[in-house]
Amino acid sequence: MSKAPTRIQQRNRTAILNAGLDVFSQYGFRGSTLDQIAEAAGLSKPNLLYYFPSKDAVYTELLEKLLQTWLVPLQQLDPAGDPIAEILAYVQRKLDMSRDYPRESRLFANEILQGAPHIKNHLSGELRELVDEKAAVLSRWEAAGRIAPTDPHHLIFSIWALTQHYADFDVQVRAVLGDTDPTIRAGTHLDTLFRRMLTPVSGSPQH
């Protein structure tokens, strides 16, 4: 049985992963080096290699942890809840993640732009299964006349695009708006946008 990591080992692993997140989100996988990560973590390269055998190992662990975090907001969409309230709450959770986890969002975006070589199986596996599950919930809500007609998968994609923009293009958004926190105004705008789009027209036929 392997020994539990010591406090110092846990601290060093955390420092390496945090440094890797900084470096990878800024330079991408190909543009990053173990030397950069070690320097950002305040460790020597040999010390870093004691915990992770390669740059790929650091990157893969970051992505796998990130994907689990990324799934949570959609997992929380409750089939038993009020449809529009549930969808708007999901939009807000995704917007909050863009505000609170900008490095993680950029890391994920960079991986996707490279063809997702490290997490392609996760995307076509657990992510696809979750999206299909929640798309079926949206379809049931639409069939019951509780939301306006929409393509459920593309509604989810639209929510991703309109919320993650505030992390992936943060510099551009702040350059235009000059806001200290653009997501405050974005939350109001997206609430209005999706509420109008999803509210059934009064008197429309029920399915």
Side-chain angles (χ1 to χ4, degrees):
M1 181 181 295
S2 59
K3 295 181 180 179
T6 66
R7 212 176 330 179
I8 292 175
Q9 289 173 331
Q10 290 175 331
R11 184 184 66 199
N12 285 345
R13 280 185 62 87
T14 299
I16 292 167
L17 290 171
N18 191 55
L21 183 56
D22 271 340
V23 173
F24 289 131
S25 64
Q26 184 173 358
Y27 301 105
F29 178 75
R30 293 178 183 174
S32 301
T33 67
L34 279 176
D35 290 306
Q36 289 173 308
I37 297 170
E39 182 179 357
L43 299 170
S44 67
K45 185 176 178 180
N47 201 359
L48 184 154
L49 289 170
Y50 171 81
Y51 297 95
F52 293 93
S54 64
K55 178 177 77 169
D56 191 277
V58 180
Y59 186 74
T60 299
E61 181 158 337
L62 279 170
L63 281 172
E64 289 179 350
K65 289 179 180 293
L66 172 58
L67 186 59
Q68 295 308 312
T69 301
W70 236 235
L71 296 179
V72 171
L74 187 54
Q75 289 169 339
Q76 293 174 336
L77 189 133
D78 184 3
D82 175 78
I84 293 179
E86 286 296 322
I87 295 168
L88 293 178
Y90 173 54
V91 172
Q92 187 60 53
R93 288 194 296 272
K94 288 294 292 177
L95 195 58
D96 289 345
M97 288 194 72
S98 287
R99 180 196 63 215
D100 297 336
Y101 301 100
R103 296 177 304 166
E104 289 85 347
S105 184
R106 290 192 290 271
L107 178 73
F108 190 76
N110 283 333
E111 169 70 6
I112 298 300
L113 288 172
Q114 296 300 320
H118 296 82
I119 58 168
K120 188 173 291 185
N121 289 339
H122 292 287
L123 298 181
S124 59
E126 55 190 314
L127 177 63
R128 180 175 179 175
E129 290 170 5
L130 177 62
V131 171
D132 285 347
E133 174 192 330
K134 298 305 182 180
V137 172
L138 296 172
S139 292
R140 289 196 296 272
W141 285 342
E142 178 189 338
R146 301 182 71 191
I147 61 173
T150 185
D151 183 304
H153 285 87
H154 288 280
L155 172 60
I156 294 171
F157 296 157
S158 295
I159 292 171
W160 292 352
L162 289 170
T163 54
Q164 289 171 215
H165 175 87
Y166 291 93
D168 301 341
F169 290 84
D170 176 71
V171 173
Q172 176 177 275
V173 171
R174 291 178 188 271
V176 173
L177 296 179
D179 286 358
T180 54
D181 182 6
T183 62
I184 296 174
R185 290 170 59 185
T188 301
H189 169 71
L190 293 179
D191 185 285
T192 301
L193 180 70
F194 283 107
R195 190 181 297 276
R196 288 177 177 172
M197 184 180 84
L198 295 167
T199 299
V201 176
S202 177
S204 61
Q206 302 291 300
H207 294 280

